[in-house]
Amino acid sequence: MRSRHPVTLALGAAAAILVVLIAADAIRRVTEGEAEKATDAAFYAPPSPMPTAAPGTVIRSEPIASAPAGTTAWRLLYHSQDLAGADIPVSGVLIVPDGAAPPGGRTIVSWAHPTTGAAPPCAPSLAVDPFQLIEGLHELLAAGYAIVATDYPGLGVAIDSSYLLGVPAAHRVLDAARAARSIDEAHIGDRLLLWGHSQGGQAALFAAERAAAYAPELTLEGVAVAAPAADLAALMTDDIVNLSGTTIASFAIPAYEAAYADRYPGGEITAILTPAGAKATPEMAALCLTQAKEIHGIADPLVGAYVSSDPATTEPWQTLLHENSAGGQPLTVPVFVGQGLADTLVIPSATEGYVRLLCAQQTDVTFHTFPDVTHALAAYASLPAVLEWFAEVEAGQRPNNC
């Protein structure tokens, strides 16, 4: 029997060592993540009374021991603003690659996550792995970017949700980048890229629309989105007749009712609900998407019977959905849009309509579609092109594909 070549043996041994190291790091991360959960309640409770401060000011921060090997990370609690401009606390995480930062500091990617729910326990940063929903985490870190990921108001910290509200979405994404810059050890500069998926696509696009006025100290270079919830009227019309639409509406209705209480004080927001829908909404709004069994148990009987009419054609929802749809202000930075053609949540025609609007506004747009890609996989399908596109816009290239 012929013996194996020494080089083959060495490569096999190296691969085995690598597997052991990866497994050891995974065990470490889970162990550390479980241990960190013991401090969550204290960290996410804002000071009472909470002192006022400029948006983006850090209320408190703490290192995250369960960060992946080769990185350093922090949990953040920071000041932001709600729809009325009131000071609110928002949580999130910051992660940077180890090693020296480039001159001028690292470019930061402010990540806006897809829907996880609208209640405090649904915050991504509360997970045992607080980075698991950052799509492209390892690739972005390998490229040298710092990444900050907001939880959104009402997730993590127990305050009113702002689910699918465009202006506070913009604030939380931009203020997360401001908060990240105040962590000296992260060595972050003023260059900013935005990256969002689904609900996070709406947040990232609104942030891009408002960045120059709201956070002029940040240099926004581009915004990339995958299957964005850009046109809320189209989203509601397309989905209100199925389980996803019922779930989305049940998260949005309490958030809109709280945000627009002064503008619509007479129950106009909830008037669209059927009696069964009104009864189920508080129960649904308290659930996270990970509680699929409970969501199905409540929502399945309500499909087609949750609301009495299409919100997109019923006031005041028609007006509010328009106000919270992207495109109200032309974008002055390049935009990347990715869309899976097998998406049944954000229908491809809705995204195509938004891209046409961007082109009419003379925005620099790069639009990619992906056959057989569903909503859940849109960000991952987009990622290779997004990474290449980020490098291009940082180099000053502004291709217009309209």
Side-chain angles (χ1 to χ4, degrees):
M1 179 176 179
R2 190 170 66 177
S3 63
R4 296 176 66 191
H5 192 280
V7 173
T8 303
L9 291 172
L11 289 174
I17 292 170
L18 180 61
V19 169
V20 170
L21 290 174
I22 291 172
D25 188 57
I27 293 170
R28 173 193 66 82
R29 293 191 63 207
V30 170
T31 302
E32 294 285 3
E34 290 286 2
E36 286 168 334
K37 291 182 75 64
T39 65
D40 284 348
F43 184 87
Y44 289 84
S48 181
M50 191 178 79
T52 58
T57 302
V58 172
I59 299 169
R60 66 174 67 104
S61 65
E62 65 179 20
I64 300 177
S66 60
T71 71
T72 304
W74 297 264
R75 186 172 281 104
L76 305 174
L77 192 68
Y78 61 94
H79 290 264
S80 191
Q81 292 184 342
D82 66 9
L83 184 63
D87 192 346
I88 58 171
V90 181
S91 55
V93 296
L94 166 65
I95 183 168
V96 300
D98 290 342
R106 295 183 173 93
T107 299
I108 189 161
V109 175
S110 192
W111 161 250
H113 66 81
T115 294
T116 58
C122 309
S125 74
L126 282 172
V128 171
D129 180 355
F131 313 105
Q132 65 183 349
L133 286 184
I134 302 176
E135 293 166 307
L137 171 76
H138 299 291
E139 294 86 348
L140 291 166
L141 290 170
Y145 295 111
I147 307 168
V148 69
T150 181
D151 282 330
Y152 306 150
L155 305 185
V157 183
I159 60 174
D160 288 334
S161 165
S162 62
Y163 185 74
L164 289 182
L165 291 165
V167 170
H171 294 167
R172 63 211 177 201
V173 169
L174 296 170
D175 290 333
R178 285 168 153 166
R181 293 188 68 206
S182 71
I183 305 299
D184 293 337
E185 305 96 308
H187 303 292
I188 295 170
D190 64 358
R191 292 166 298 168
L192 171 66
L193 294 164
L194 304 174
W195 169 222
H197 177 200
S198 192
Q199 176 194 356
Q202 182 220 27
L205 292 169
F206 263 84
E209 290 178 8
R210 299 179 66 83
Y214 183 76
E217 75 277 18
L218 300 174
T219 302
L220 179 61
E221 298 186 320
V223 53
V225 294
D231 185 341
L232 296 190
L235 181 72
M236 286 294 182
T237 296
D238 292 337
D239 294 343
I240 198 62
V241 294
N242 58 42
L243 175 69
S244 295
T246 300
T247 305
I248 289 168
S250 74
F251 294 163
I253 285 171
Y256 277 59
E257 185 179 23
Y260 294 107
D262 291 340
R263 185 167 161 187
Y264 299 104
E268 295 97 324
I269 298 289
T270 56
I272 197 170
L273 291 169
T274 64
K279 180 182 178 182
T281 294
E283 299 174 77
M284 289 283 289
L287 297 173
C288 304
L289 287 191
T290 52
Q291 297 170 280
K293 181 179 179 180
E294 291 86 346
I295 288 175
H296 275 275
I298 300 170
D300 280 348
L302 289 172
V303 171
Y306 179 66
V307 294
S308 57
S309 59
D310 182 354
T313 59
T314 305
E315 292 293 358
W317 280 99
Q318 183 176 13
T319 295
L320 296 180
L321 292 174
H322 175 73
E323 289 179 6
N324 288 282
S325 293
Q329 299 181 40
L331 292 172
T332 59
V333 296
V335 182
F336 176 102
V337 181
Q339 176 66 45
L341 296 182
D343 196 328
T344 57
L345 181 64
V346 174
I347 305 300
S349 60
T351 300
E352 291 163 2
Y354 176 65
V355 170
R356 286 194 297 272
L357 173 61
L358 291 176
C359 291
Q361 294 174 336
Q362 300 185 342
T363 303
D364 295 319
V365 184
T366 298
F367 183 35
H368 286 249
T369 57
F370 304 98
D372 303 318
V373 168
T374 63
H375 187 75
L377 297 178
Y380 287 112
S382 300
L383 191 58
V386 168
L387 290 165
E388 182 179 352
W389 183 84
F390 275 168
E392 290 174 353
V393 296
E394 282 209 275
Q397 300 177 30
R398 296 168 62 95
N400 191 321
N401 292 345
C402 293

